[in-house]
Amino acid sequence: MVRITLTVNGEKKEVDVSISESLLHVLRDKLHLRSVKANCYRGECGICTVIMNNRLVKSCQVLAVEADGAEIITVEGLTRDGKIAPIQRAFIEKFGFQCGFCTPAFVLAGHWIVNNMPKASEDEIREIISGIVCRCTGYKQIVDAIKYAIMLAHGESG
Amino acid sequence: MSSVVESKGVVFWREYFPKLEYFKPKTIDEALDLLDKYGRDARIKAGATCLTRALRARKIKPIPKYLIDITSIKELKKIEYIDGNELIIGAAVTHEEIINNELIKKKFTALWEASANIGDIETRYRGTIGGNIANSSAQADLPPALMVFNAYVTLMSKEGSRKVPLTKFFLGHKKNVMKPNELLVSVHVPEPPEGAKSSYLKFKRSIEDRALVGIAALVAYPRDPSKRIIRLAYTAISKTPFLLSEAEELFKQDKPLSKLIEEAIGIAQSKYGLPVGERGIDLRAPKEYRLHLIRIGTKAILKYLIEGIKVI
C-alpha cells in the first residue's frame, strides 16, 4: 500500500492505494465518486474520462500511484455554490443524453472544451469527443449541447 | 464491481493489474540499474495506453512484477534539432508534444501527420513515441513515418549503447530486437534530402481507429530520374511495419512515373502477411480490402506529393 495525495474537486484527499489499482478504481470505489463510470477497462470507450491536471485522461489507463499530487475534476466538482455549470445547463436544455451512462464523460469533455477552446468549431468538438462512446443517441445532441455551452459561457461572440 | 474471473484456462477481462512493484526513476542510469536487476520481470511504462490493457488481460508473459515509469526522466522528454544534421526525440516525448512542434510539422511532415493521426486526444496526451515503437504493433503509425527518413533508435543498457535502424528493429507483431535489460532512449531522424516533401496517409474506420493501412512517403525531385528520391513505407499489412526498400532503386529508373508506381504497388501488395487469427488485426479488414487500400493509397499519396493534388 502506498499513500497518495489527490486534489479532487478542490478538496485535498489522502488515499491508501495498491499498485494494482487504477485511478478509476480509486475515484469510484475509494472516494465514492460514482459519476466516474467503469466500463471497458481498455481505454477504448472513454466512459471513465476525468480531468486530471486540466487535461482529459481516461482514468482506467492511469495507475493510481501515478496520479499522486494530481488535481482531478469529476462531474461532482462542476457544481459551485448550488449552481450548475454552463455545460450541465446546456446538456439539459439540448437533451444531450438518453440513458445517461456516458454523460459524465461527455460533460467533462464539454467542460474542458468550454474552458480551453472557446472558439472550437464543430469539427474540433467532434474530434475531441471522438474517444468517448455513446451507444444510445448518436452525437448530434451532444455536440449541440457543447456548442450551446460555449455560447452560455462566453457569450454569442465566443 | 467485477473482479478477477478465471475458469478452465479461459482468462476474462480483469479490473486490477497484477501484483506489481512500482519505480519512478529520475535518471536514465537509475532506470538501467533497475532493468539490469529485474530483467524479464520488469516492464517499462511510458504512456501506458497499451500497457494497462495488456496488464489487465495478463497478456504479457511472464507477467511483470516490476514497473519502471520513465515519464519523470528529464533526458527522455527532450526534442532536439541539430541544424542540417538530425532531429533527436526522447523516448518519453508524447504525441501531443510532437504535434505542437512547428519544426517537425514543417520539416518532418510525415512524422507530424502520423502523430496527429494516432487515437484520440486522451491517447495523444499520454502516449509516447518510444512506446509506439517499443510496443512494436504491426499497426503502429509512427514506424513507417520514421522509416521514410531512415530513422534509427538508440538502445541503452548497463553494458553500453547501440544504434539500430528502424528497418532492422522489428521482428514480428509485438516482437523486436530489444534485450530484456535494454531501454529505448531516443529516436534519431536524419535531415531529409534537399527538396524533400513527406506525408502520411492513414485509412481508418473512424477518427480514433487504428490503421487499416498506413502509408508514409517521401519524395524529392520527382521529375528528374537521376536525382529522384521516392521512399515508401507501410503499416498494418505485414507482421511488422516496413520500408519498401526496393522502391528507392526502382524509382531511379528512367521510365514513366505511372508505370513505376504500378510496379511499386505490386511489390508492396506482395508483402502482405498479417498475423492470421490475431484478434483485432486481421479482423478490421479482409486481405482483399487491404490490398485495394495499398493501391489507391499509394497512388493518392504520391499524387499529393508530386502534383500537390489531394484526392483522399
Side-chain angles (χ1 to χ4, degrees):
Chain A
M1 282 288 183
V2 188
R3 173 152 293 196
I4 62 165
T5 317
L6 294 172
T7 309
V8 185
N9 298 330
E11 246 179 87
K12 259 215 159 92
K13 305 252 175 167
E14 285 196 349
V15 202
D16 288 325
V17 301
S18 92
I19 312 292
S20 306
E21 288 170 1
S22 58
L23 177 63
L24 165 64
H25 188 240
V26 171
L27 292 174
R28 197 176 152 78
D29 287 0
K30 292 205 159 155
L31 297 173
H32 307 292
L33 296 165
R34 292 300 169 93
S35 78
V36 187
K37 301 288 184 238
N39 186 31
C40 77
Y41 295 107
R42 310 170 200 211
E44 273 172 13
C45 71
I47 301 294
C48 61
T49 296
V50 298
I51 299 176
M52 177 167 128
N53 298 332
N54 199 28
R55 292 307 311 256
L56 293 170
V57 296
K58 295 175 184 172
S59 58
C60 74
Q61 289 183 332
V62 181
L63 291 153
V65 273
E66 223 187 314
D68 192 11
E71 205 174 300
I72 313 271
I73 298 175
T74 67
V75 168
E76 285 89 343
L78 297 185
T79 310
R80 287 278 153 83
D81 308 323
K83 273 185 80 181
I84 57 173
I87 187 72
Q88 291 169 297
R89 160 82 41 222
F91 263 75
I92 295 167
E93 286 186 22
K94 296 285 172 187
F95 306 102
F97 43 83
Q98 196 164 316
C99 84
F101 189 66
C102 67
T103 307
F106 278 111
V107 167
L108 285 173
H111 185 68
W112 187 84
I113 295 171
V114 169
N115 285 342
N116 294 282
M117 301 176 68
K119 293 199 160 52
S121 65
E122 175 158 347
D123 283 350
E124 282 171 322
I125 294 172
R126 280 185 182 271
E127 154 105 59
I128 287 168
I129 63 169
S130 69
I132 311 170
V133 176
C134 166
R135 300 187 78 170
C136 303
T137 71
Y139 301 89
K140 170 107 179 48
Q141 288 89 339
I142 293 167
V143 175
D144 285 351
I146 295 173
K147 282 202 286 196
Y148 184 55
I150 292 176
M151 217 188 74
L152 286 181
H154 302 284
E156 201 77 59
S157 62
Chain B
M1 291 296 284
S2 64
S3 57
V4 178
V5 189
E6 196 169 7
S7 71
K8 290 178 187 164
V10 182
V11 182
F12 294 95
W13 208 259
R14 285 178 252 204
E15 181 188 340
Y16 295 95
F17 306 121
K19 210 168 155 5
L20 288 163
E21 253 182 82
Y22 177 80
F23 301 97
K24 204 165 186 175
K26 290 267 182 288
T27 64
I28 293 179
D29 285 340
E30 278 176 55
L32 293 181
D33 279 340
L34 289 165
L35 267 179
D36 204 60
K37 195 165 156 199
Y38 298 122
R40 278 171 67 80
D41 286 335
R43 201 78 185 173
I44 297 287
K45 177 209 153 288
T49 52
C50 207
L51 182 68
T52 42
R53 56 183 293 161
L55 284 174
R56 281 205 178 89
R58 309 297 193 263
K59 252 189 183 167
I60 307 166
K61 299 278 162 32
I63 291 175
K65 296 193 180 87
Y66 309 93
L67 217 53
I68 305 171
D69 188 339
I70 58 165
T71 50
S72 295
I73 303 178
K74 282 214 177 75
E75 296 141 282
L76 299 183
K77 300 283 298 170
K78 277 196 284 196
I79 299 180
E80 201 182 335
Y81 177 61
I82 303 166
D83 202 7
N85 189 7
E86 66 175 3
L87 172 76
I88 306 168
I89 307 174
V93 169
T94 62
H95 305 312
E96 191 178 286
E97 285 160 342
I98 292 177
I99 297 168
N100 290 338
N101 190 308
E102 279 302 313
L103 179 114
I104 294 179
K105 186 175 184 180
K106 217 176 116 215
K107 271 213 138 134
F108 303 92
T109 319
L111 173 59
W112 188 88
E113 289 178 354
S115 302
N117 259 305
I118 287 178
D120 44 47
I121 189 168
E122 293 98 328
T123 311
R124 290 193 293 271
Y125 169 55
R126 286 178 58 81
T128 64
I129 181 170
N132 196 280
I133 296 169
N135 187 41
S136 303
S137 161
Q139 312 150 285
D141 286 307
L142 295 189
L146 289 163
M147 279 171 182
V148 293
F149 295 106
N150 293 332
Y152 58 94
V153 290
T154 301
L155 306 177
M156 261 171 111
S157 69
K158 285 276 272 183
E159 288 106 55
S161 72
R162 60 177 175 140
K163 294 185 158 110
V164 183
L166 265 189
T167 46
K168 297 217 167 79
F169 182 81
F170 303 106
L171 300 175
H173 181 55
K174 306 250 171 178
K175 292 190 187 87
N176 58 41
V177 299
M178 282 171 75
K179 295 189 192 112
N181 67 344
E182 275 182 325
L183 174 68
L184 199 159
V185 179
S186 56
V187 183
H188 300 251
V189 195
E191 180 83 7
E194 213 193 309
K197 284 203 289 182
S198 62
S199 185
Y200 180 72
L201 177 63
K202 176 175 177 176
F203 290 102
K204 44 189 179 180
R205 300 170 303 175
S206 58
I207 198 161
E208 83 295 351
D209 198 14
R210 292 168 197 221
L212 298 176
V213 164
I215 307 171
L218 178 140
V219 172
Y221 302 112
R223 311 269 172 229
D224 181 355
S226 61
K227 281 166 84 184
R228 186 191 291 151
I229 299 171
I230 296 183
R231 294 183 197 142
L232 289 165
Y234 295 84
T235 193
I237 57 173
S238 186
K239 284 195 286 280
T240 70
F242 64 92
L243 179 75
L244 198 66
S245 48
E246 298 91 337
E248 205 170 336
E249 270 313 301
L250 179 80
F251 281 111
K252 289 252 155 52
Q253 293 173 26
D254 195 4
K255 281 194 211 163
L257 252 182
S258 56
K259 274 227 172 80
L260 295 175
I261 293 172
E262 279 299 330
E263 272 182 56
I265 290 169
I267 302 171
Q269 287 178 331
S270 72
K271 308 259 175 182
Y272 183 88
L274 274 181
V276 178
E278 195 72 56
R279 193 176 164 270
I281 292 185
D282 58 351
L283 215 65
R284 275 192 169 71
K287 180 180 175 182
E288 295 72 22
Y289 186 48
R290 280 184 213 257
L291 294 184
H292 173 66
L293 290 179
I294 294 173
R295 166 170 299 278
I296 59 168
T298 308
K299 279 186 179 168
I301 197 168
L302 290 178
K303 196 171 182 70
Y304 169 60
L305 288 173
I306 295 169
E307 297 169 35
I309 301 167
K310 230 179 180 135
V311 283
I312 295 177

